[in-house]
Amino acid sequence: MRGKEAEDFVRVVAPDLRDEEREFDAALRPRWLSEFVGQTRIKEQLALLIEGARAREEPLDHVLLSGPPGLGKTTLAGIVANELGVGFRPTSGPALERAGDLAAILTNLEEGDVLFVDEVHRMPRTVEEVLYPALEDFKLDVIIGKGPSARSIRLDLPRFTLVSATTRPGLITLPLRERFGFSPRLDYYAHDELAKVVRRSAGILEIEADPDGADEIARRSRGTPRISNRLLRRVRDYAQVRGDGRVTRGSASLALALFEVDERGLDKLDLSILSCLVSTFQGGPVGLSTLAAAVGEETETIEDVYEPYLLQLGFIKRTPRGRVATEAAYGHLGVPLRTSGELF
């Protein structure tokens, strides 16, 4: 897939939230820990921290949520605010372009509020440095004037909790990372957990979905609740237009086949990478830049968007000599395993 075709293609299994999905996504988000499916250990840890903070009538420690997109980091941030019974003020790292942007938000917080910063790793360094005293001492240093007449004053801030989310924890500076008291990492969901997510969302949307239909959607959701909800919408459309309105295993299979999502959750872009690796390069090893050029994608897109799930499935391996297709990849494509030489 190259050129305009690649640009126009919208991935049904992309974990990123699209603008047109925000209202739909917000309607399905749980508001309490008891409603949140999956991430059992993190929920237990958060419940303990929240209960302790409420008992002491203190703000919760600052929290850094990390993990792949679509797993519920924003949802958990909102749940923290609801459980504490305080205000929720969302923003994002890219939106905080200047120190004044952050100062305006901080000075408008109320006691105990939760400030949520999404994509915190994209916050400019100058803004980040203003945040340090706010997190530690609940103070804000403001520079008044310019040049030799400039002076610094320190403003008191209400005690608040910063909840940040990132998909790239390695890009967060050490000084900022050390100011978080709790830093859990969200993992991909198990199959049965995703089936629960589908059934819950179907109930909210008033969609009749039997267990087998929910199970079929969960099986193709790549371990990500956001993808489960998106696939449920596509299956709902198919069931209402071409079926009796019920989400069954049959209607789910036919709908997802129509939208080119196979039984392991791979779409045609994933399959083009595997096919290129297996057929064009005889299973590899092949360098990342060569593979990216062959499929018409950027190297960063291959590495950050497509490879993680293929690695998780065990379909490819990263080796010092390049990317290599595994025996499982050959089996999934229905291609006989090459017999000359070693696979790796």
Side-chain angles (χ1 to χ4, degrees):
M1 183 180 299
R2 298 173 180 274
K4 192 174 187 303
E5 182 185 3
E7 292 176 4
D8 294 341
F9 179 65
V10 178
R11 300 190 75 209
V12 181
V13 293
D16 299 314
L17 182 64
R18 297 195 284 268
D19 289 339
E20 64 271 17
E21 294 179 317
R22 294 190 183 279
E23 185 176 348
F24 170 81
D25 186 70
L28 296 181
R29 281 181 178 165
R31 301 187 69 247
W32 308 99
L33 280 175
S34 58
E35 300 174 353
F36 191 89
V37 177
Q39 312 295 340
T40 305
R41 178 55 60 88
I42 293 176
K43 284 198 303 182
E44 183 179 356
Q45 293 167 341
L46 272 177
L48 181 66
L49 295 178
I50 291 169
E51 187 64 31
R54 281 194 305 218
R56 295 187 301 271
E57 297 184 351
E58 296 177 355
L60 186 71
D61 279 348
H62 304 303
V63 178
L64 174 63
L65 302 169
S66 62
L71 298 188
K73 297 184 290 297
T74 302
T75 299
L76 280 175
I79 286 175
V80 167
N82 285 335
E83 294 281 359
L84 290 171
V86 298
F88 181 64
R89 306 295 180 89
T91 186
S92 66
L96 301 173
E97 297 179 350
R98 299 179 298 274
D101 298 333
L102 177 62
I105 294 174
L106 292 175
T107 53
N108 282 289
L109 293 175
E110 297 182 6
E111 189 73 21
D113 276 359
V114 169
L115 172 62
F116 174 61
V117 179
D118 199 8
E119 297 183 275
V120 69
H121 61 275
R122 296 176 60 187
M123 182 188 299
R125 174 58 74 81
T126 54
V127 178
E128 181 181 312
E129 291 173 351
V130 172
L131 189 59
Y132 295 159
L135 295 179
E136 286 192 327
D137 306 319
F138 302 103
K139 305 286 185 181
L140 179 63
D141 294 321
V142 178
I143 305 297
I144 298 178
K146 294 182 180 180
S149 62
R151 59 192 180 91
S152 174
I153 63 172
R154 174 162 282 201
L155 302 177
D156 292 328
L157 295 174
R159 296 173 65 83
F160 69 96
T161 295
L162 174 67
V163 179
S164 295
T166 178
T167 56
R168 304 287 295 275
L171 298 182
I172 297 179
T173 61
L174 184 60
L176 180 58
R177 185 194 302 271
E178 290 182 341
R179 285 167 169 80
F180 291 99
F182 180 50
S183 304
R185 175 177 173 80
L186 279 66
D187 296 319
Y188 286 109
Y189 281 57
H191 180 90
D192 59 329
E193 294 173 336
L194 286 175
K196 291 180 183 178
V197 170
V198 173
R199 292 195 295 271
R200 177 184 177 277
S201 297
I204 294 173
L205 297 173
E206 299 182 351
I207 302 171
E208 186 179 350
D210 64 28
D212 288 340
D215 185 76
E216 185 66 23
I217 294 173
R219 191 158 61 95
R220 306 187 189 210
S221 297
R222 303 164 72 101
T224 306
R226 182 177 293 157
I227 296 176
S228 293
N229 290 330
R230 186 181 298 143
L231 296 183
L232 175 63
R233 294 176 68 192
R234 301 287 76 80
V235 173
R236 174 187 62 177
D237 294 337
Y238 184 93
Q240 290 176 346
V241 173
R242 299 190 180 180
D244 58 3
R246 295 174 59 247
V247 174
T248 64
R249 185 178 295 278
S251 64
S253 297
L254 291 171
L256 297 178
L258 177 64
F259 287 101
E260 299 181 285
V261 180
D262 74 6
E263 65 275 6
R264 299 299 297 273
L266 302 183
D267 65 5
K268 61 181 179 181
L269 289 178
D270 298 306
L271 293 173
S272 70
I273 293 172
L274 285 183
S275 297
C276 184
L277 188 56
V278 167
S279 302
T280 305
F281 299 105
Q282 292 76 50
V286 59
L288 176 61
S289 59
T290 303
L291 180 61
V295 297
E297 283 287 354
E298 299 292 333
T299 56
E300 294 82 2
T301 304
I302 297 288
E303 190 170 26
D304 297 337
V305 178
Y306 303 125
E307 274 194 348
Y309 188 61
L310 296 175
L311 288 166
Q312 182 190 352
L313 291 178
F315 285 170
I316 63 174
K317 278 192 173 184
R318 290 175 176 168
T319 72
R321 296 174 58 198
R323 273 53 177 177
V324 175
T326 65
E327 184 175 351
Y330 281 84
H332 186 74
L333 295 175
V335 177
L337 185 66
R338 66 174 187 174
T339 56
S340 59
E342 293 293 326
L343 180 59
F344 307 120

